Amino acid sequence: MKTITFYSTVLFLFLVSQVAFGQEDYQKKIEALKVEKQRIIEQEKDALKFEVKDINQRLEDGDISENEARILKEEVAKQRALNIENRVAIIENRIALLERNKGEVLTLSEIDTIYGDRMRIGLLIDGKPAITFNSNRWKKEIKYDRRTYSDFVMAIGLNNAIIEGQSLSDSPYKIGGSRFFEMGWQWRTRVFKNSNWLRFNYGFSFQFNGLKPDGNRIFVQEEGQTVLQEFEYDLDKSKFRMDNLVFPVHFEVGPSRLRKTERTMRYSIRDQFRVGFGGYGGFSLGTRQKLKYNRDGENVKDKLKRDYNSSDLIYGVSGYMGFDGVLLYLKYDLNPIFKDAEVKQNNISLGLRFDI
């Protein structure tokens, strides 16, 4: 307790002394400014005496007449009087500012700058830098020609599989129930310096491709093969999902509008038709199967995360077309869904893509 009391007393005395020293310091400044006010008056009067002396010398030398000398003396006297009035007013305002704010005033310092629309303001207390405010601290310098843009990409739609020797209409997967979802980020760079008809798009995306088997069937692994098999209980839901991380690359073509100002040059594809074609490559993040069924009166939900002999490397072709940020989107995996399968299956997706 004694230690706390001792340090509290020391801290209190320190703060009091700081306040006292600060008050004494700004009082000294006020006294100095009052002295400076008297020196300004004396300086301007001395300058007036020198100018009058010079006019009298020019009169004695015959360079000017008595009337001209009188006019010149009146002009310099008026000028010096105004100088005294203005300079003394500045000093008196500074004194009033210090007295009103107890010495703590905001002033512009040498660190204060104004560049275009950016301004930094420094806070000085007793003439010493304390805090610097920068209204546009995180604002980047605007580039005249911006060639690369970025977008958040989201796609959703129907998913299914192209099976070797079988038409899509005979697919064992539900057409409406099998869906995909994709989200990611892309960068769009103009290929040519003075034209925007061709763009190079690149980025990354997370793909979630779902398949819903038709009938009362689930995926099982048998002797190194992944096949559909009848389930022993009545299924309420059977869904197979493949999660991938891929890196799409597309070339995009389409018109654009050029907008130029004194500070910027921009190509805009807003409300413009565009077509993209390319592909993607990546790897599988995992496969899983979700089952819902009733077993002897009990509702059961199974989430089975297995390898299911699915492909580890993912690669395919894709394309899109549409206006502005709403596009018809198609992608097709060149890799088979299941490795070493007797019947080859390739995932295919069709839906809408949104560049946001």
Side-chain angles (χ1 to χ4, degrees):
M1 185 66 183
K2 290 181 179 180
T3 304
I4 297 174
T5 303
F6 172 75
Y7 283 112
S8 299
T9 303
V10 172
L11 179 60
F12 175 75
L13 292 175
F14 174 76
L15 293 174
V16 170
S17 64
Q18 287 295 104
V19 172
F21 287 146
Q23 185 173 4
E24 183 181 352
D25 188 43
Y26 92 81
Q27 289 291 351
K28 288 181 179 179
K29 284 190 175 184
I30 291 175
E31 294 300 323
L33 287 171
K34 290 179 179 179
V35 173
E36 185 176 348
K37 183 170 68 171
Q38 294 301 321
R39 290 180 57 194
I40 286 172
I41 297 172
E42 294 174 1
Q43 184 185 54
E44 292 292 339
K45 286 182 177 181
D46 290 340
L48 178 60
K49 290 178 183 179
F50 177 82
E51 290 171 337
V52 170
K53 183 180 179 181
D54 181 67
I55 293 171
N56 289 332
Q57 185 64 47
R58 292 170 62 189
L59 178 61
E60 292 179 5
D61 295 340
D63 295 333
I64 56 176
S65 64
E66 289 186 3
N67 187 51
E68 288 174 333
R70 180 180 57 80
I71 293 174
L72 289 174
K73 288 178 182 179
E74 289 177 354
E75 289 178 353
V76 295
K78 183 179 179 180
Q79 177 184 342
R80 293 301 168 183
L82 287 174
N83 286 353
I84 290 173
E85 181 182 348
N86 293 339
R87 293 179 66 186
V88 167
I90 292 172
I91 298 299
E92 289 177 345
N93 286 333
R94 289 177 62 185
I95 292 172
L97 188 63
L98 285 170
E99 289 177 338
R100 183 168 58 251
N101 295 280
K102 307 301 182 183
E104 297 183 2
V105 297
L106 293 172
T107 60
L108 293 175
S109 69
E110 66 277 2
I111 65 172
D112 303 322
T113 55
I114 299 177
Y115 298 110
D117 59 350
R118 298 195 303 170
M119 180 176 181
R120 296 193 332 178
I121 302 175
L123 171 62
L124 277 75
I125 298 178
D126 293 340
K128 299 177 182 178
I131 303 173
T132 300
F133 300 96
N134 189 345
S135 60
N136 292 288
R137 182 179 178 184
W138 307 110
K139 189 173 182 179
K140 295 182 180 179
E141 183 179 353
I142 299 176
K143 289 185 177 181
Y144 175 71
D145 183 10
R146 183 180 173 189
R147 297 186 64 171
T148 299
Y149 297 81
S150 61
D151 301 302
F152 174 74
V153 177
M154 184 180 71
I156 190 169
L158 301 178
N159 197 66
N160 219 288
I162 300 295
I163 302 175
E164 189 176 21
Q166 187 174 319
S167 67
L168 188 59
S169 60
D170 297 327
S171 171
Y173 310 116
K174 295 179 180 179
I175 299 296
S178 301
R179 294 181 288 269
F180 83 96
F181 177 75
E182 181 176 338
M183 64 178 180
W185 198 266
Q186 76 163 2
W187 288 266
R188 182 177 69 252
T189 300
R190 188 172 83 244
V191 175
F192 301 109
K193 183 178 180 180
N194 298 317
S195 176
N196 193 43
W197 71 270
L198 179 63
R199 282 89 65 180
F200 179 56
N201 296 3
Y202 49 95
F204 65 90
S205 289
F206 293 95
Q207 295 178 347
F208 307 95
N209 300 323
L211 294 172
K212 277 191 176 182
D214 200 2
N216 199 63
R217 294 182 292 178
I218 65 171
F219 284 98
V220 296
Q221 288 180 278
E222 288 184 347
E223 300 178 356
Q225 297 287 317
T226 299
V227 296
L228 285 172
Q229 189 179 88
E230 285 289 327
F231 193 55
E232 57 182 320
Y233 301 102
D234 291 333
L235 287 166
D236 294 325
K237 184 177 183 179
S238 174
K239 184 177 180 181
F240 183 76
R241 198 182 81 193
M242 299 160 284
D243 301 342
N244 307 320
L245 172 60
V246 297
F247 302 90
V249 174
H250 294 95
F251 283 100
E252 182 180 286
V253 296
S256 59
R257 293 191 182 96
L258 176 60
R259 298 173 179 171
K260 294 183 75 172
T261 66
E262 294 181 358
R263 299 179 61 191
T264 61
M265 181 182 77
R266 298 288 186 268
Y267 286 94
S268 173
I269 60 172
R270 185 175 180 181
D271 298 327
Q272 299 295 305
F273 179 78
R274 54 196 179 110
V275 178
F277 51 91
Y280 50 90
F283 51 88
S284 171
L285 297 176
T287 54
R288 64 198 69 202
Q289 190 169 199
K290 186 176 182 179
L291 306 175
K292 285 185 180 181
Y293 56 94
N294 186 282
R295 182 177 60 193
D296 301 327
E298 180 186 0
N299 292 323
V300 181
K301 296 181 181 180
D302 288 336
K303 295 181 180 180
L304 309 174
K305 188 174 182 180
R306 304 283 189 272
D307 176 68
Y308 290 105
N309 204 36
S310 59
S311 294
D312 297 320
L313 296 177
I314 309 298
Y315 51 93
V317 293
S318 57
Y320 55 85
M321 62 186 296
F323 287 89
D324 201 355
V326 181
L327 310 160
L328 182 65
Y329 180 47
L330 175 68
K331 63 184 181 73
Y332 176 71
D333 288 357
L334 296 176
N335 62 281
I337 296 176
F338 305 110
K339 296 180 291 187
D340 305 320
E342 292 181 355
V343 179
K344 185 180 178 183
Q345 301 185 44
N346 297 79
N347 194 82
I348 187 170
S349 307
L350 175 66
L352 290 177
R353 169 176 148 165
F354 305 93
D355 292 359
I356 303 173

